[in-house]
Amino acid sequence: MKTLIRHGTLITAAETYAADLLLDGEKIALIGMNLHADDAQVVDATGKFILPGGVDVHTHLDVPFGGTRVSDDFYTGHKAAAFNGTTSHIDFARQDKGESLHQTVARWHQMADRRAVIDYGFHLAITDLTEEVLNEIPALGREGVTSLKLFMAYKGFIQVDDTTLFRTMLKAAEAGMLTMVHAENGDAIDVLVKSAVAQGRLTPEWHALTRPAWAEAEATLRATALAAMAGAPLYVVHVTCAPAVDQIAYGRAHGLNVMGETCVQYFFFTIDELRRPDGAKWVCSPPLRTAADQAALWQAIRNDTLQVISTDHSPFFYDGAHRIEYEGQPFSLPGKELGRDDFSKIPNGIPGIGNRMPILWTYGVGQGHLTLNRLVEVCCTNPAKIFGLYPRKGTLAVGADADLAIWDPTLKKTMGVQTSRHRLDYDLYEGWEVTGYPEKVYVRGNLLVDGDTWYGEPGGGQWLKRQVNAPIL
Ligand code: URP
Ligand code: ZN
Ligand code: ZN
């Protein structure tokens, strides 16, 4: 099938220019002026912007966490993503204790393959590093799971020690794979949490107060130093604060291969949200910080200390006692109410895969924090490059997958549960007005979204085998 998209304005990381695009089967076949193809379906994109599909490299779908499970699976999360301009993502396949890494990957394929609508890859989150597991790592890279994640927090659950982190880095470096860290000092946090709970400090605000910025900064520098000793590239996920940004800047200034990501929520919300009566909705780790940290994050995105904006999509119901209707079926799951009387029991995580692109368009680009080209760079191109998907994903180029969104820069929407389409009972951006929204979204040349019409089919998404030795940006 061929589609000819005419008279649009193409936005890439590098350029903004008027052109027609011919999609042939799953690929972009031609880009140029006044293209013709008699056998193509023609789409008039006059006045519209064509962006590569978003690549979200930090998501948690269908995973147990915090005494319950996230509420989006690989179908519902993909639908939310597609409607909001994201066409591929990389999810964390999390090893269970005693499991081989291949068993973990097989388990994630079981959850994902029959439900997927957009394209998806896996990072492997290591929680139990035995000799056998260590020796499995290179094979995993060759098989297309090219990034490994380690949690320096969540003590007693998935936190790893420095020996595990360092040995993984050494092995990953040898195999051309990328090590990612959740950088918070879990030992110090554990002491602070226990002390707060013992003193009866139980409200959601204490989630943030027991996870100080220095816990993040310390872990960020420790991981950077370990990576330097291991000769390994490092990617720090969900950077939230100025002191952590400073550690990455320090590493980069000293020629170290350290890269960093922040997530959309850290630009728009602060610890103040946790003081609201419904503050549990905003509980995530690392926590929301201050206005000064937000300014530091925007600056870090502009000056390339951070290279990626993702979502850390990990949605939990606000009130699991109430059912929602999803595609005509009732649905609910235990959620944030598990921690109604004790912040330490609130499932950590917030939604975002269906918010990132439109929110950044209006409240990032629209408010002058970054250009539209930089938005494409940090939300599409850089994530594809860093994680071994480029140039197949993340750009508009001949030969690339025909993953793209036709954005109407004048289209107004109100963000909220109806618009983000997460399978969830709340939205962080409820009532936020956006101007600029995807009108049509294609994945590998297939039209998934046309206005409010959904053409996505479970099982239509493809697993992404990624390349080792990806660029270090
Ligand atoms: O609060 C969060 N971020 N939950 C998801 C797991 C993680 O730490 O990324
Ligand atoms: Zn994390
Ligand atoms: Zn995460």
Side-chain angles (χ1 to χ4, degrees):
M1 202 195 75
K2 289 185 185 171
T3 306
L4 179 59
I5 304 172
R6 303 193 62 201
H7 308 311
T9 299
L10 275 55
I11 315 285
T12 68
E15 289 168 311
T16 299
Y17 61 105
D20 301 341
L21 267 171
L22 180 66
L23 319 185
D24 188 354
E26 299 199 334
K27 300 288 180 188
I28 298 176
L30 274 176
I31 299 177
M33 298 300 285
N34 303 316
L35 298 182
H36 290 278
D38 290 340
D39 50 347
Q41 188 181 356
V42 177
V43 175
D44 180 10
T46 304
K48 311 285 163 61
F49 290 175
I50 324 282
L51 268 66
V55 180
D56 187 348
V57 291
H58 190 153
T59 65
H60 303 271
L61 296 178
D62 214 358
V63 69
F65 204 90
T68 179
R69 203 174 185 86
V70 299
S71 65
D72 270 323
D73 64 20
F74 281 81
Y75 173 75
T76 66
H78 285 191
K79 186 172 176 180
F83 266 102
N84 289 281
T86 288
T87 56
S88 49
H89 75 115
I90 311 180
D91 204 73
F92 290 97
R94 196 183 69 210
Q95 181 198 20
D96 276 347
K97 305 274 179 218
E99 198 177 43
S100 79
L101 301 184
H102 284 89
Q103 284 168 335
T104 309
V105 171
R107 214 154 44 82
W108 247 260
H109 274 299
Q110 257 183 0
M111 287 195 287
D113 296 357
R114 70 200 153 89
R115 296 196 178 105
V117 191
I118 63 171
D119 290 353
Y120 59 102
F122 300 140
H123 312 285
L124 204 305
I126 293 179
T127 63
D128 189 10
L129 188 76
T130 59
E131 284 309 310
E132 295 74 41
V133 165
L134 191 68
N135 291 327
E136 258 188 293
I137 287 175
L140 219 63
R142 289 192 295 275
E143 291 157 16
V145 179
T146 61
S147 38
L148 304 168
K149 158 93 169 280
L150 295 113
F151 291 90
M152 300 170 79
Y154 302 122
K155 192 175 168 82
F157 174 35
I158 49 180
Q159 181 175 327
V160 299
D161 60 14
D162 287 353
T163 307
T164 298
L165 178 53
F166 190 57
R167 293 187 81 201
T168 303
M169 285 172 165
L170 286 165
K171 189 60 98 178
E174 235 174 73
M177 296 164 73
L178 180 61
T179 303
M180 311 163 75
V181 284
H182 171 132
E184 283 185 297
N185 186 319
D187 290 356
I189 288 168
D190 188 56
V191 172
L192 292 173
V193 169
K194 284 181 175 147
S195 155
V197 170
Q199 292 174 70
R201 295 169 163 167
L202 297 171
T203 56
E205 176 185 9
W206 284 95
H207 171 76
L209 296 175
T210 55
R211 304 185 85 102
W214 281 112
E216 186 180 335
E218 184 278 330
T220 303
L221 184 60
R222 180 160 35 107
T224 302
L226 291 171
M229 288 189 272
L234 177 70
Y235 180 91
V236 184
V237 305
H238 52 39
V239 175
T240 70
C241 58
V245 166
D246 289 346
Q247 309 315 311
I248 294 175
Y250 175 85
R252 291 173 71 82
H254 286 78
L256 302 179
N257 289 329
V258 53
M259 299 172 279
E261 147 204 289
T262 190
C263 303
V264 61
Q265 57 272 18
Y266 294 112
F267 294 117
F268 300 111
F269 303 107
T270 66
I271 185 174
D272 286 344
E273 316 299 337
L274 297 172
R275 299 183 177 123
R276 295 167 45 139
D278 60 349
K281 288 177 181 170
W282 280 269
V283 166
C284 60
S285 296
L288 301 169
R289 306 287 190 191
T290 66
D293 291 307
Q294 293 177 333
L297 293 177
W298 283 125
Q299 174 73 3
I301 282 292
R302 280 192 298 271
N303 69 19
D304 209 40
T305 301
L306 300 178
Q307 295 73 39
V308 173
I309 303 176
S310 65
T311 65
D312 195 6
H313 181 71
S314 30
F316 296 101
F317 266 61
Y318 174 59
D319 184 356
H322 285 117
R323 288 181 178 178
I324 59 164
E325 194 166 294
Y326 187 87
E327 293 193 346
Q329 300 293 323
F331 183 82
S332 66
L333 267 177
K336 303 277 187 181
E337 77 283 358
L338 294 172
R340 191 171 285 137
D341 303 320
D342 176 352
F343 75 87
S344 69
K345 298 196 169 69
I346 301 171
N348 287 201
I350 57 185
I353 201 167
N355 302 122
R356 178 181 67 146
M357 300 293 284
I359 288 290
L360 285 174
W361 180 292
T362 293
Y363 294 93
V365 178
Q367 297 193 347
H369 292 295
L370 76 174
T371 65
L372 199 45
N373 304 95
R374 182 65 176 159
L375 180 148
V376 166
E377 191 163 36
V378 297
C379 292
C380 314
T381 314
N382 283 353
K385 284 182 176 170
I386 292 170
F387 290 98
L389 291 171
Y390 188 86
R392 179 177 169 194
K393 303 289 188 192
T395 193
L396 300 172
V398 171
D401 278 1
D403 292 357
L404 54 94
I406 303 179
W407 286 71
D408 180 345
T410 66
L411 186 56
K412 291 187 188 302
K413 290 266 181 187
T414 306
M415 295 306 288
V417 282
Q418 303 300 329
T419 313
S420 67
R421 297 176 193 258
H422 304 134
R423 186 168 61 175
L424 193 60
D425 62 344
Y426 79 98
D427 195 85
L428 295 180
Y429 306 87
E430 195 68 49
W432 289 38
E433 305 291 339
V434 296
T435 305
Y437 198 77
E439 187 187 79
K440 286 185 166 50
V441 179
Y442 296 83
V443 173
R444 281 176 287 99
N446 298 307
L447 182 65
L448 291 196
V449 172
D450 190 359
D452 281 329
T453 308
W454 173 236
Y455 295 108
E457 291 286 345
Q462 273 184 11
W463 182 70
L464 296 166
K465 181 174 177 191
R466 297 182 287 120
Q467 305 291 324
V468 291
N469 296 313
I472 296 156
L473 302 184

PDB file of all heavy atoms in Angstrom, residues 58 60 92 149 151 238 312 314, ligand 3:
ATOM      1  N   HIS A  58      11.360   4.861  28.107  1.00  0.00           N
ATOM      2  CA  HIS A  58      11.229   4.547  29.543  1.00  0.00           C
ATOM      3  C   HIS A  58       9.754   4.329  29.871  1.00  0.00           C
ATOM      4  O   HIS A  58       9.023   5.277  30.176  1.00  0.00           O
ATOM      5  CB  HIS A  58      11.813   5.677  30.394  1.00  0.00           C
ATOM      6  CG  HIS A  58      11.928   5.317  31.852  1.00  0.00           C
ATOM      7  ND1 HIS A  58      12.865   5.903  32.667  1.00  0.00           N
ATOM      8  CD2 HIS A  58      11.239   4.449  32.640  1.00  0.00           C
ATOM      9  CE1 HIS A  58      12.741   5.404  33.897  1.00  0.00           C
ATOM     10  NE2 HIS A  58      11.743   4.528  33.902  1.00  0.00           N
ATOM     11  N   HIS A  60       6.831   1.329  31.714  1.00  0.00           N
ATOM     12  CA  HIS A  60       6.593   0.097  32.485  1.00  0.00           C
ATOM     13  C   HIS A  60       5.162  -0.338  32.197  1.00  0.00           C
ATOM     14  O   HIS A  60       4.215   0.235  32.741  1.00  0.00           O
ATOM     15  CB  HIS A  60       6.742   0.352  33.982  1.00  0.00           C
ATOM     16  CG  HIS A  60       8.074   0.924  34.382  1.00  0.00           C
ATOM     17  ND1 HIS A  60       9.153   0.139  34.707  1.00  0.00           N
ATOM     18  CD2 HIS A  60       8.504   2.206  34.505  1.00  0.00           C
ATOM     19  CE1 HIS A  60      10.187   0.906  35.021  1.00  0.00           C
ATOM     20  NE2 HIS A  60       9.818   2.173  34.905  1.00  0.00           N
ATOM     21  N   PHE A  92      10.724  -1.998  30.227  1.00  0.00           N
ATOM     22  CA  PHE A  92      11.666  -2.696  31.103  1.00  0.00           C
ATOM     23  C   PHE A  92      11.178  -4.111  31.404  1.00  0.00           C
ATOM     24  O   PHE A  92      10.193  -4.287  32.118  1.00  0.00           O
ATOM     25  CB  PHE A  92      11.865  -1.926  32.407  1.00  0.00           C
ATOM     26  CG  PHE A  92      12.623  -0.650  32.186  1.00  0.00           C
ATOM     27  CD1 PHE A  92      11.961   0.553  32.035  1.00  0.00           C
ATOM     28  CD2 PHE A  92      14.008  -0.662  32.072  1.00  0.00           C
ATOM     29  CE1 PHE A  92      12.652   1.722  31.789  1.00  0.00           C
ATOM     30  CE2 PHE A  92      14.710   0.509  31.831  1.00  0.00           C
ATOM     31  CZ  PHE A  92      14.031   1.697  31.683  1.00  0.00           C
ATOM     32  N   LYS A 149      19.398  -2.410  32.774  1.00  0.00           N
ATOM     33  CA  LYS A 149      19.026  -1.401  33.771  1.00  0.00           C
ATOM     34  C   LYS A 149      19.289  -1.952  35.156  1.00  0.00           C
ATOM     35  O   LYS A 149      18.987  -3.106  35.438  1.00  0.00           O
ATOM     36  CB  LYS A 149      17.534  -1.083  33.589  1.00  0.00           C
ATOM     37  CG  LYS A 149      16.794  -0.492  34.773  1.00  0.00           C
ATOM     38  CD  LYS A 149      16.797   1.028  34.721  1.00  0.00           C
ATOM     39  CE  LYS A 149      15.842   1.634  35.734  1.00  0.00           C
ATOM     40  NZ  LYS A 149      14.473   1.613  35.302  1.00  0.00           N
ATOM     41  N   PHE A 151      18.769  -0.869  39.354  1.00  0.00           N
ATOM     42  CA  PHE A 151      18.132   0.042  40.312  1.00  0.00           C
ATOM     43  C   PHE A 151      19.073   0.225  41.498  1.00  0.00           C
ATOM     44  O   PHE A 151      19.418  -0.751  42.175  1.00  0.00           O
ATOM     45  CB  PHE A 151      16.797  -0.548  40.804  1.00  0.00           C
ATOM     46  CG  PHE A 151      15.719  -0.588  39.763  1.00  0.00           C
ATOM     47  CD1 PHE A 151      15.571  -1.691  38.931  1.00  0.00           C
ATOM     48  CD2 PHE A 151      14.838   0.473  39.609  1.00  0.00           C
ATOM     49  CE1 PHE A 151      14.569  -1.734  37.960  1.00  0.00           C
ATOM     50  CE2 PHE A 151      13.833   0.438  38.649  1.00  0.00           C
ATOM     51  CZ  PHE A 151      13.703  -0.665  37.825  1.00  0.00           C
ATOM     52  N   HIS A 238      15.475   9.091  34.317  1.00  0.00           N
ATOM     53  CA  HIS A 238      14.676  10.069  35.079  1.00  0.00           C
ATOM     54  C   HIS A 238      15.466  10.965  36.034  1.00  0.00           C
ATOM     55  O   HIS A 238      15.303  10.927  37.247  1.00  0.00           O
ATOM     56  CB  HIS A 238      13.484   9.408  35.781  1.00  0.00           C
ATOM     57  CG  HIS A 238      13.759   8.196  36.636  1.00  0.00           C
ATOM     58  ND1 HIS A 238      14.853   8.059  37.438  1.00  0.00           N
ATOM     59  CD2 HIS A 238      13.005   7.078  36.845  1.00  0.00           C
ATOM     60  CE1 HIS A 238      14.784   6.907  38.088  1.00  0.00           C
ATOM     61  NE2 HIS A 238      13.674   6.298  37.730  1.00  0.00           N
ATOM     62  N   ASP A 312       8.668   7.511  31.786  1.00  0.00           N
ATOM     63  CA  ASP A 312       8.584   6.621  32.952  1.00  0.00           C
ATOM     64  C   ASP A 312       7.123   6.237  33.209  1.00  0.00           C
ATOM     65  O   ASP A 312       6.680   6.162  34.359  1.00  0.00           O
ATOM     66  CB  ASP A 312       9.191   7.286  34.191  1.00  0.00           C
ATOM     67  CG  ASP A 312       9.466   6.295  35.305  1.00  0.00           C
ATOM     68  OD1 ASP A 312       9.286   5.080  35.080  1.00  0.00           O
ATOM     69  OD2 ASP A 312       9.843   6.735  36.397  1.00  0.00           O
ATOM     70  N   SER A 314       4.199   4.676  34.311  1.00  0.00           N
ATOM     71  CA  SER A 314       3.910   3.568  35.246  1.00  0.00           C
ATOM     72  C   SER A 314       2.645   3.947  36.012  1.00  0.00           C
ATOM     73  O   SER A 314       2.700   4.446  37.129  1.00  0.00           O
ATOM     74  CB  SER A 314       5.083   3.299  36.191  1.00  0.00           C
ATOM     75  OG  SER A 314       5.824   4.452  36.456  1.00  0.00           O
TER      76      SER A 314
HETATM   77 ZN    ZN B   3      10.886   3.721  35.444  1.00  0.00          ZN
END
